[in-house]
Amino acid sequence: MSGPLVVLVGPMGVGKSTVGQLLAERLGAGYRDTDDDIVAEQGRSIAEIFADEGEPVFRSIEKQAVRRALAEHDGVLALGGGAILDADTRAHLAGRRVVHLSVDVEEALRRTGRDTPRPLLAADPRRQWQDLMKTRRHLYETVAATVVATDGRTPEEVTRAVLDALGPNLVRAGRRQGPGPAGPLAAYGE
């Protein structure tokens, strides 16, 4: 199956973007984030899309962005936190290297802050986040080949844990061809 080397899923604040960029660097691969794709395509922030069009319109836009990214991108792909709500998206993730990055509520709130422009956490962030996770946790786990906890870990430690969880086949798949003393495996410790 062609497509991304690895797909990162998980809630907002878990570190998908940061870990995704580090993981891509270690693998010598490109990085792509479907939230960034949506913002670039729509010319406005996700918060603005939610405010102007509502969540159903955003989810439709997101579904198409994910489908395109899965078809076009061959590196590390990070999906928005709610992308897995769509059954078609979950079906498109079947058989792929999907990693669920997990985080507990306290750590998530610390990372996202209470005043960030995250439309689904606008009122009572703690309760909202807990409610989101009740709905989403089993969906993340259903699509994931592995779960990596991010609590109390640096982005570098999480990246290493993802590489360890997915094993040497992922590292070999991400290897760049050509000479060079400091390829992606050097950063991985090989």
Side-chain angles (χ1 to χ4, degrees):
M1 175 182 294
S2 63
L5 282 173
V6 63
V7 180
L8 300 177
V9 299
M12 60 191 93
V14 77
K16 295 182 300 284
S17 297
T18 302
V19 170
Q21 291 171 19
L22 287 170
L23 190 58
E25 181 182 304
R26 302 295 188 287
L27 294 169
Y31 170 75
R32 186 167 174 177
D33 183 318
T34 57
D35 281 351
D36 293 343
D37 290 352
I38 292 166
V39 170
E41 178 185 294
Q42 296 294 312
R44 54 193 170 148
S45 71
I46 290 171
E48 290 172 318
I49 298 168
F50 264 79
D52 296 344
E53 308 287 339
E55 186 174 0
V57 170
F58 172 76
R59 295 295 172 207
S60 177
I61 294 167
E62 180 178 53
K63 177 179 179 174
Q64 295 309 311
V66 170
R67 183 173 287 163
R68 275 192 307 277
L70 288 171
E72 299 169 359
H73 187 64
D74 63 359
V76 176
L77 178 63
L79 303 188
I84 47 75
L85 294 170
D86 181 74
D88 290 338
T89 295
R90 292 192 306 274
H92 286 296
L93 292 172
R96 298 184 187 273
R97 289 184 192 104
V98 178
V99 176
H100 167 208
L101 298 180
S102 68
V103 64
D104 73 18
V105 64
E106 296 305 322
E107 184 76 6
L109 292 175
R110 186 186 65 73
R111 291 179 187 178
T112 59
R114 295 179 190 267
D115 59 349
T116 59
R118 298 193 185 253
L120 294 179
L121 296 181
D124 193 358
R126 178 182 311 287
R127 187 182 57 76
Q128 295 276 357
W129 198 89
Q130 289 171 327
D131 290 348
L132 287 173
M133 288 310 297
K134 282 179 191 170
T135 304
R136 297 178 181 183
R137 182 174 285 114
H138 75 282
L139 298 175
Y140 293 135
E141 292 170 355
T142 298
V143 301
T146 191
V147 178
V148 174
T150 65
D151 303 285
R153 289 177 159 172
T154 67
E156 292 78 12
E157 290 169 335
V158 174
T159 300
R160 179 63 188 220
V162 170
L163 290 167
D164 289 346
L166 293 176
N169 289 336
L170 175 65
V171 175
R172 280 195 292 279
R175 219 178 257 186
R176 284 187 182 155
Q177 301 299 317
L185 294 181
Y188 186 61
E190 296 180 25

